[in-house]
Amino acid sequence: MKNYMEDVVLEVLDVALRLNPDFCRCEKCRKDVVLIALSNIKGSYASSPVGEIFAWVGQSDRQVRTDALLAVMQALEKVAANPRHNGQIQLKEN
Ligand SMILES: [Zn+2]
């Protein structure tokens, strides 16, 4: 189930990146987007009586993709506003 969610998010991430050509392409930012998008999706279905992930994958494929793309677009905005890659790149020369 978790893998299914990640697969869909990674798939729509490609679409979202094409729509946002200025977004940073580094691995750190892409990973952050995936993590934020996944938690957004879980958050929107956590209150479902069926249970978060089952409710999500129980929907039509088209609805799942629409939700995932929306979550990824929101995640892109968050990461673009506050990228964490700068603190991550540390050159050690000792
Ligand atoms: Zn980056």
Side-chain angles (χ1 to χ4, degrees), residues 19-78:
L19 294 171
N20 292 274
D22 294 337
F23 185 77
C24 177
R25 254 59 177 175
C26 84
E27 200 184 340
K28 179 74 193 153
C29 289
R30 290 163 73 121
K31 268 187 188 168
D32 278 353
V33 168
V34 170
L35 285 177
I36 293 169
L38 281 172
S39 81
N40 281 350
I41 293 165
K42 282 182 198 163
S44 17
Y45 288 97
S47 57
S48 156
V50 193
E52 44 181 89
I53 301 171
F54 287 104
W56 193 59
V57 298
Q59 297 181 104
S60 72
D61 201 52
R62 195 178 159 196
Q63 184 62 46
V64 165
R65 263 151 233 279
T66 304
D67 285 356
L69 184 58
L70 207 73
V72 168
M73 296 294 272
Q74 286 171 348
L76 274 181
E77 278 177 34
K78 272 191 201 173

